[in-house]
């Protein structure tokens, strides 16, 4: 590691005098800070190091919000931090950080970063590739992305240290980049996504100069690893502000860089209405303290593309609805993961949710009861409800109502009548020719009339790929999710 000289982000050298806001002039209290963060701050201070709470924790507390987590910045190097705590893990290659654990809480502790210089390794677009440089508190401040994220809570006197215009921008409700916006976006294009997310979370506006280059530089997102964009999309759309975030992504041309397979389809009001309804459903569950799942989010987000491709396959190749949905799902996921990664532990449940949609139209008693035992039935049922409620389609609403009543136990309600031109309308209700069994003398006896043929787990002879559900949404039996965990 090296130590650099102070340098501002426009290339000129400068020292910055901090402004201190005393405890009497701000609302951040130690009672609002997690116990693990306080222990980290005091341990570093008592060991003779500088220690500050910084970033989103300070920002959210000033805005009257409850932070999801807290970060600490210090002049202690990682190898100096590690011996001070019984449970401390060093992570990262670009820049080593310390994860200090207190029970379930992890306090991310970083050494002050040095100023950006011409020595930093970059790619052809200007993105920084190597960042192993330590610095001072002032240098760390101007290295941060937005002014509202460059506020430091000093545990020594409980003041807030501001090297930029962070306090003024908090009071004015403005998201402003530190330094030249185009240069900062080129250093890390994900900042464009963060600008939208933080602005909507705080109900702030994006400064004109900060917003101006976004649409022009949106294509820089292609340089970001797909796995990192998966996390960023979750932060944007698995949130209470998901609808506003989607709108912002589309306005600035960022959404088409993330989901080119879906973006043109959202110009159709029905598709946009469905996606917004799913995002609203997720937001409502979060407000109610219920569990939400990335599988349900991505299944909802990509459904218009899956539905459109399935309709095309049925028209061009005459595929049965179930086959069309399966093939369409595989194609859409394959086209998506080159831009935004979707881990298998989420993509497999997504496919289950999609694959079960045409099976909801099979309302005979045997098939219906079998479907209700499927591990992903609750998630697929919730998905059906969103489809029905967002579309206002009478037949789909009647079908959703039928399945709601069917789950109450007892005799199943009369089967709803589905229009012949429904996207999933099938000929499955017509008698099918029974396949001739092979195997000579060792074959089983002839099937009894009305007896269902043996199937794999999940029903209808389809391997649901859900024997080991590792997506973290499993219910008490290890497979079936609770109703609250379905989405």
């Amino acid at each position: 590691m090296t130590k650099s000289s102070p340098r501002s982000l426009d290339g000129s050298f400068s020292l910055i005098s901090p402004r201190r806001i005393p405890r009497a002039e701000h609302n951040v209290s130690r009672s609002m800070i997690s116990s693990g963060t306080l222990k980290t701050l005091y341990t570093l201070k008592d060991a003779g190091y500088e220690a500050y709470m910084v970033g989103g924790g300070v920002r959210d507390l000033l805005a009257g919000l409850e932070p999801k987590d807290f970060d600490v910045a210090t002049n202690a190097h990682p190898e100096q931090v590690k011996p001070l705590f019984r449970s401390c893990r060093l992570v990262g290659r670009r820049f080593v950080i310390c994860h200090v654990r207190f029970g379930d809480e992890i306090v991310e502790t970083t050494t002050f970063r040095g100023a950006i210089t011409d020595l930093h390794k970059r790619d052809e677009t200007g993105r920084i590739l190597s960042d192993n440089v330590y610095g001072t508190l002032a240098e760390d401040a101007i290295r941060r992305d937005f002014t509202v994220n460059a506020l430091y809570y000093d545990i020594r006197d409980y003041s807030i240290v501001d090297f930029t215009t962070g306090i003024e921008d908090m009071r004015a409700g403005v998201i402003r980049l530190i330094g030249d916006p185009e240069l900062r976006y080129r250093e890390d294009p994900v900042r464009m996504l963060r600008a939208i997310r933080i602005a909507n979370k705080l109900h702030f506006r994006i400064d004109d100069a900060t917003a101006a280059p976004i649409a022009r530089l949106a294509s820089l997102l292609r340089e970001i690893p797909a796995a990192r964009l998966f996390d960023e999309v979750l932060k944007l759309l698995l949130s209470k502000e998901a609808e506003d975030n989607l709108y912002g992504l589309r306005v600035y041309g960022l959404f088409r860089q993330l989901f080119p397979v879906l973006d043109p389809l959202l110009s159709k009001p029905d598709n946009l209405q469905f996606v917004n309804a799913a995002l609203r459903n997720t937001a409502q569950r979060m407000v109610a303290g219920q569990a939400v799942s990335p599988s349900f989010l991505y299944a909802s987000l990509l459904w218009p593309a899956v539905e459109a491709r399935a309709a095309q396959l049925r028209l061009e190749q005459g595929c049965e609805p179930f086959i069309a949905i399966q093939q369409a799902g595989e194609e859409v996921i394959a086209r998506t993961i080159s831009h935004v990664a979707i881990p298998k532990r989420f993509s497999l449940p997504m496919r289950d949710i999609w694959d079960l949609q045409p099976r909801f139209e099979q309302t005979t008693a045997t098939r219906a009861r079998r479907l209700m035992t499927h591990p992903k039935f609750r998630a697929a049922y919730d998905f059906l409800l969103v489809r029905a409620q967002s579309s206002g389609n009478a037949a789909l609403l009647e079908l959703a109502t039928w399945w709601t009543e069917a789950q109450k136990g007892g005799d199943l309600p009369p089967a709803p009548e589905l229009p012949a031109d429904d996207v999933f309308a099938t000929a499955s209700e017509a008698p099918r020719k029974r396949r001739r069994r092979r195997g000579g003398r060792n074959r089983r006896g002839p099937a009894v009339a009305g007896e269902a043929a043996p199937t794999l787990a999940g029903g209808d002879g389809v391997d649901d790929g859900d024997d080991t559900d590792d997506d973290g949404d499993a219910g008490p039996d290890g497979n079936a999710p609770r109703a609250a965990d379905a989405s």
Side-chain angles (χ1 to χ4, degrees), residues 459-482:
D460 288 354
V462 179
D463 183 355
D464 301 296
D466 202 41
D467 293 332
T468 55
D469 185 359
D470 64 346
D471 66 0
D473 295 330
D477 62 356
N479 279 319
R482 298 177 184 272

Side-chain angles (χ1 to χ4, degrees), residues 172-475:
V174 175
I175 299 299
R176 189 191 315 275
L177 270 171
I178 300 171
D180 177 68
E182 179 163 346
L183 176 62
R184 301 312 306 280
Y185 288 141
R186 288 188 178 277
E187 290 171 358
D188 186 0
V190 168
R191 287 171 178 154
M192 294 184 284
L193 304 178
R194 287 170 55 81
I196 292 170
R197 177 170 60 85
I198 296 172
N200 286 327
K201 179 179 182 179
L202 302 179
H203 303 291
F204 284 9
R205 67 175 181 86
I206 302 177
D207 172 65
D208 291 342
T210 298
I214 294 180
R216 179 165 47 85
L217 300 177
S219 62
L220 293 177
L221 288 176
R222 299 174 190 168
E223 308 299 324
I224 302 300
R228 186 181 177 196
L229 291 180
F230 170 79
D231 293 331
E232 293 298 327
V233 169
L234 288 187
K235 293 176 185 177
L236 283 157
L237 300 183
L238 210 60
S239 72
K240 300 172 186 175
E241 300 80 26
E243 283 187 84
D244 292 335
N245 289 337
L246 175 62
Y247 176 80
L249 292 174
R250 298 185 68 219
V251 165
Y252 288 106
L254 298 169
F255 193 79
R256 72 172 65 99
Q257 304 299 331
L258 299 170
F259 299 100
V261 69
L262 176 63
D263 183 65
L265 296 174
L266 293 189
S267 60
K268 293 182 61 175
D270 288 350
N271 289 336
L272 181 60
Q273 188 170 325
F274 168 77
V275 171
N276 277 331
L279 296 179
R280 198 178 310 122
N281 174 272
T282 297
Q284 290 168 351
R285 294 177 66 87
M286 294 182 72
V287 171
Q290 296 175 317
V292 294
S293 166
S295 303
F296 192 92
L297 170 67
Y298 273 90
S300 303
L301 197 61
L302 297 177
W303 174 248
V306 173
E307 190 177 33
R309 179 58 179 153
Q312 185 180 15
L313 289 170
R314 294 197 64 199
L315 181 65
E316 295 176 353
Q317 302 179 19
C319 296
E320 286 293 313
F322 183 80
I323 300 300
I325 287 291
Q326 275 195 327
Q327 184 174 333
E330 291 176 3
E331 292 181 13
V332 169
I333 289 176
R335 293 178 61 186
T336 299
I337 59 177
S338 61
H339 302 272
V340 178
I342 305 177
K344 264 192 173 180
R345 66 182 183 274
F346 300 128
S347 64
L348 291 178
M350 285 166 55
R351 294 181 186 186
D352 282 339
I353 290 172
W354 294 334
D355 294 349
L356 293 183
Q357 297 309 300
R359 287 174 58 182
F360 279 114
E361 297 190 3
Q362 300 171 357
T363 52
T364 59
T366 301
R367 290 179 180 270
R369 290 195 172 95
R370 184 187 304 150
L371 181 56
M372 283 189 277
T373 66
H374 192 284
K376 294 301 178 191
F377 170 79
R378 285 295 311 185
Y381 164 72
D382 287 347
F383 193 87
L384 174 67
L385 290 183
V386 176
R387 286 178 56 213
Q389 293 165 2
S390 66
S391 69
N393 181 287
L396 205 53
L397 284 167
E398 184 180 359
L399 184 64
T401 300
W402 188 91
W403 279 99
T404 301
E405 294 298 318
Q407 294 175 71
K408 293 180 179 179
D411 295 335
L412 294 178
E417 294 185 8
L418 298 174
D421 61 348
D422 188 85
V423 66
F424 295 137
T426 73
S428 59
E429 301 303 326
R432 293 187 179 183
K433 293 182 180 179
R434 186 178 299 278
R435 290 185 179 180
R436 180 177 297 174
R437 294 178 179 271
R438 297 186 181 186
R441 295 182 178 181
N442 292 327
R443 75 178 190 272
R444 292 178 57 186
V448 179
E451 178 181 329
T455 64
L456 298 175
D460 288 354
V462 179
D463 183 355
D464 301 296
D466 202 41
D467 293 332
T468 55
D469 185 359
D470 64 346
D471 66 0
D473 295 330

Side-chain angles (χ1 to χ4, degrees), residues 100-117:
V100 182
R101 180 182 290 275
F102 297 94
D104 293 334
E105 181 184 3
I106 295 178
V107 181
E108 189 171 287
T109 304
T110 60
T111 305
F112 297 148
R113 296 194 180 199
I116 299 173
T117 70

